[in-house]
Amino acid sequence: MCGIIGYIGKREAFPFLLNGLAKLEYRGYDSAGVALLSDELCIQKEIGKLSEIQFEEEEGKIGIAHVRWATHGRVSKENAHPHFDCKNEIAIVHNGIIENHRELKAGLVKRGHVFTSDTDSEVVSHLIEEFSAEGCNFEDAVINALKLLEGSYTLLAIKSGENKIVGARKGSRSLTLGISEQAIFPASDVLAFLEWTNKVVYLKSEDVFVADDELGLCIYNLAEDRIVVRPIDTVKCDAEEVKKGEFDHLMLKEISEQDETILRALQQNEEIVQGICDKMRNAAGTFFIGCGSSYNACLTGSYLFSKAAKLHVNPVLASEFENYEHFLTDKTLVFAVSQSGETADVLDAANAAKRKGSRVVGIVNRDGSILARESDGQLFMNSGPEICVLSTKTYTSQVVLMEMLAYALAGKYEEGLKKIGSLYLDIYKLTSRSMREHLAKLAAILYDKRDIYLIGRGAQYATALEAALKIKEVSYIHAEAFAGGELKHGPLALIEDGVPCIVFVSNDNKSKILSNAEEIKSRGGYIIGVASEREEIFDYWIKVPEAEELNPIIQIIPMQVLAYQLAVYRGLDPDKPRNLAKSVTVT
Ligand code: M6R
């Protein structure tokens, strides 16, 4: 889940590397580091966010850099990347996990290598050192080292005296090369270099590349044991989209984009949508898998398909999917839902399905991502880059796609498109300044609460889960969602005077959910209603239009704004919540 970038080209590397790191910081912000190659190798690294680190501008037209989300080894300067060999001549940056690092390290230590970190990554620089000492040239030393690694990774390496970057990708981590007339930029994500080029080479698993200072590029595939040619593609997204613009935070910007992003999600090829629906009708078992918000969208979909299309699908957390794999056959259809298209749990589940001959449809935002490239069919969210760690606009786009499929399955595709499209103005109003102020007042009431509970029924239960996730991940307040009917089976014991509970009201379950709210109110709870009409029971009312089966798109939006306001009220950075990262490439 770390981010890596390299630069080799005709200009000074440092500004490109720092700018690229800023774009990759959503992948990890425990520490950052840079290695530059001129006459000698200079390495700087520090713990903290980029904005807290003062790097000195060093010279060098070749460099590599890293932002870390700690997995092996605590957050410390020693564990920050780049890592080097015993002589400080080789530097590497790495994302992923080297599963056999303990055995490799034990051997290296026995042979006299001195380690300075607790990371799994450092074995790589020492292995390259060892093969170099045996007489291998730099690229062969890297290749020989890679052959010893088990796990899934991307990495970049540079060495004193060698005017080149050698890098590699294996398994579920992505590595892309930005290609311009001035430079080659290897990076975990195109966003890192999009300002300078939109020409990219997507590396495949087990590709090793060598880029030299004449901008020569050679790619060798370890599994095929031969030099390979990868095409140069053009990326569609725009560098401007990743800036905050007039907003204080990316989270608010991305929330505010949803009036448009729901419309972009609707821009699908009808033939593809209908083809997917036919596959759903004919499949012997359909799974919807995802993690976090993407799973909540899958759960929402399961209610919609059941109600609107009378079709049963199984929503499963991707990290739990291995428990269901024995149901997979070549007649099973698996929807893998992931904004990033990089989430390791989702990729593992999709690969397991493919091994059983099941068809995998990716519902994905990033078009160059591994899931987008490796699934059998795709529906794109078209949300543009989402940088804030929290999913907001991509969540509603996922739900839009579920709604669209549900309408199409029910034979109401055109009607569905019109209905969803007509939410444009409502969403605009729900993100307007007056709504933000109304929710800021609520944040002032809630900001110091220990717990917030949320209840819903049917698809609103999934909305409650998503709203709870938003609140807890950005404000660090404990927020927990329940299906309204479950309160009496235990959670009511948690309610005492003043405990806030957010209630999602929809016309089709109004009387039942209001009587659940009554159960809370009569035990002293403070009721916040998300509803089209004010009810006597509400202590605070968040007015939303009644959108019937489309309520899951509408009702989550004020919750995203509330979560944002809570973070701001508590003095937290909503774009970079503690301990989290945007792309979760570890299982
Ligand atoms: O990229 P993905 O959609 O696969 O990511 C899945 C989750 O990691 C993600 O939704 C996460 O829960 C977000 N932080 C939620 O806001």
Side-chain angles (χ1 to χ4, degrees), residues 430 435 439 530 542-544 553-563:
L430 288 170
M435 190 54 152
L439 291 164
V530 182
I542 301 171
K543 186 178 179 183
V544 289
I553 302 172
I554 288 289
Q555 295 194 346
I556 193 61
I557 290 173
M559 294 295 101
Q560 297 169 345
V561 178
L562 175 65

Side-chain angles (χ1 to χ4, degrees), residues 6-9 61-62 163-165 182-184 211-213 215:
Y7 176 96
I8 182 161
K61 294 184 171 133
I62 302 172
N163 291 337
K164 53 185 76 154
I165 299 182
Q182 302 285 324
I184 295 177
D212 65 38
D213 59 352
L215 304 187

Side-chain angles (χ1 to χ4, degrees), residues 406-537:
Y407 281 118
L409 284 163
K412 297 178 181 166
Y413 181 69
E414 286 300 331
E415 185 190 326
L417 293 194
K418 272 200 200 118
K419 274 182 126 175
I420 301 169
S422 69
L423 298 181
Y424 171 87
L425 206 55
D426 293 324
I427 293 177
Y428 177 77
K429 287 182 192 152
L430 288 170
T431 57
S432 67
R433 183 170 291 276
S434 62
M435 190 54 152
R436 273 159 28 203
E437 282 166 7
H438 183 58
L439 291 164
K441 282 185 200 144
L442 180 58
I445 298 170
L446 298 181
Y447 81 100
D448 60 351
K449 298 288 180 204
R450 198 191 54 187
D451 313 290
I452 298 176
Y453 297 108
L454 305 95
I455 57 168
R457 299 181 80 105
Q460 275 66 51
Y461 168 51
T463 306
L465 286 171
E466 174 60 9
L469 179 60
K470 290 290 87 91
I471 293 171
K472 71 184 118 186
E473 72 182 315
V474 76
S475 74
Y476 317 156
I477 298 174
H478 169 239
E480 198 172 349
F482 302 107
E486 283 299 292
L487 284 174
K488 54 190 177 294
H489 298 292
L492 268 184
L494 297 165
I495 307 300
E496 52 191 9
D497 256 1
V499 169
C501 181
I502 301 177
V503 181
F504 296 91
V505 182
S506 179
N507 268 353
D508 62 347
N509 59 35
K510 188 167 172 177
S511 64
K512 281 189 173 173
I513 197 73
L514 288 178
S515 76
N516 296 139
E518 197 62 61
E519 292 162 9
I520 296 170
K521 180 90 171 181
S522 57
R523 285 157 180 91
Y526 179 86
I527 304 293
I528 300 148
V530 182
S532 60
E533 284 168 13
R534 182 192 286 279
E535 305 291 336
E536 217 183 302
I537 195 176

Side-chain angles (χ1 to χ4, degrees), residues 6-7 45 57 74 135 149 158 160 167 184 187 210 228 246 256 259 277 281 292 304 396 419 422 524 560 569 577:
Y7 176 96
K45 49 189 187 175
E57 181 149 7
R74 67 194 170 89
L149 307 183
I158 53 178
S160 271
I184 295 177
V210 182
V228 289
E246 76 209 63
S256 304
D259 52 349
C277 289
R281 288 186 193 100
L304 301 175
T396 46
K419 274 182 126 175
S422 69
Q560 297 169 345
Y569 215 92

Side-chain angles (χ1 to χ4, degrees), residues 323-451:
N323 301 300
Y324 298 87
E325 278 170 27
H326 53 275
F327 290 121
L328 296 170
T329 70
D330 58 1
K331 309 233 164 11
T332 315
L333 185 59
V334 175
F335 284 83
V337 183
S338 173
Q339 182 285 130
S340 60
E342 274 192 22
T343 302
D345 288 324
V346 177
L347 295 178
D348 282 0
N351 285 335
K354 284 172 87 170
R355 281 197 298 276
K356 292 278 186 90
S358 310
R359 212 179 147 76
V360 176
V361 178
I363 295 192
V364 65
N365 190 39
R366 305 297 305 277
D367 63 350
S369 62
I370 298 177
L371 183 62
R373 282 180 283 131
E374 295 183 359
S375 45
D376 304 307
Q378 302 83 14
L379 281 179
F380 286 101
M381 299 172 204
N382 301 330
S383 310
E386 187 180 66
I387 310 298
C388 172
V389 166
L390 282 88
S391 303
T392 53
K393 59 176 178 171
T394 57
Y395 174 76
T396 46
S397 294
Q398 289 167 351
V399 177
V400 164
L401 289 170
M402 306 284 171
E403 300 268 13
M404 173 194 272
L405 286 172
Y407 281 118
L409 284 163
K412 297 178 181 166
Y413 181 69
E414 286 300 331
E415 185 190 326
L417 293 194
K418 272 200 200 118
K419 274 182 126 175
I420 301 169
S422 69
L423 298 181
Y424 171 87
L425 206 55
D426 293 324
I427 293 177
Y428 177 77
K429 287 182 192 152
L430 288 170
T431 57
S432 67
R433 183 170 291 276
S434 62
M435 190 54 152
R436 273 159 28 203
E437 282 166 7
H438 183 58
L439 291 164
K441 282 185 200 144
L442 180 58
I445 298 170
L446 298 181
Y447 81 100
D448 60 351
K449 298 288 180 204
R450 198 191 54 187
D451 313 290

